[in-house]
Amino acid sequence: MNVRQRWVSFLGRVLLSLIFIISGIAKLLDPAGTIAYIESAHLPLPQVAYVVALIVELGLGVALLVGFKAQLAAAGIAIFTFITALMFHSNMADPVQVVMFLKNTTIIGGLLVVIAFGPGGYSVDHGKRFTVVE
């Protein structure tokens, strides 16, 4: 991996992780509002969903940012992002919700690249790739 690839992969991880870290901080600062929003989607156990969201957005978001177990973090975030797309942005009659759904699927696409190719050179994992099956 050359210097350009290391910097571009690092920048990609930064940009992918920022939306989750910032969203996680907002949820941390407004637990009541976040739980009310989860309840408005008629999801069961909104307090549990709130804790899961914090763990994914802050915990896995920071792991992705620094490149620690980045492929596993990206996989966890991708699953979370897919579920949130289905739960919160599935009203395809609303053009805004269509865009939000597509935003989530686009983010999942970026996370799949991290899963496929690893975190890149500037990471805690030092570009190591986790292989499930070859």
Side-chain angles (χ1 to χ4, degrees):
M1 180 175 287
N2 64 38
V3 173
R4 178 184 49 83
Q5 290 168 322
R6 285 192 293 269
W7 278 109
V8 169
S9 62
F10 171 71
L11 180 60
R13 281 196 341 269
V14 169
L15 294 174
L16 276 171
S17 65
L18 277 180
I19 191 169
F20 297 101
I21 295 168
I22 292 168
S23 182
I25 291 169
K27 285 175 177 62
L28 191 63
L29 296 175
D30 185 17
T34 302
I35 291 168
Y37 180 64
I38 294 168
E39 288 172 337
S40 75
H42 308 292
L43 296 177
L45 305 170
Q47 292 84 0
V48 174
Y50 171 74
V51 171
V52 169
L54 286 179
I55 291 168
V56 170
E57 292 181 351
L58 290 176
L60 297 183
V62 169
L64 179 63
L65 174 68
V66 300
F68 176 72
K69 304 290 184 190
Q71 289 170 296
L72 293 174
I77 296 168
I79 292 166
F80 173 81
T81 303
F82 180 69
I83 292 168
T84 58
L86 294 176
M87 296 294 108
F88 295 98
H89 307 302
S90 60
N91 180 4
M92 295 301 148
D94 179 352
V96 172
Q97 291 306 312
V98 172
V99 170
M100 297 299 283
F101 186 88
L102 292 172
K103 171 209 42 111
N104 279 29
T105 59
T106 301
I107 291 168
I108 293 167
L111 292 165
L112 290 175
V113 171
V114 174
I115 294 167
F117 297 104
Y122 298 125
S123 66
V124 172
D125 292 343
H126 300 294
K128 296 176 189 164
R129 287 178 28 184
F130 175 77
T131 304
V132 177
V133 176
E134 280 287 329

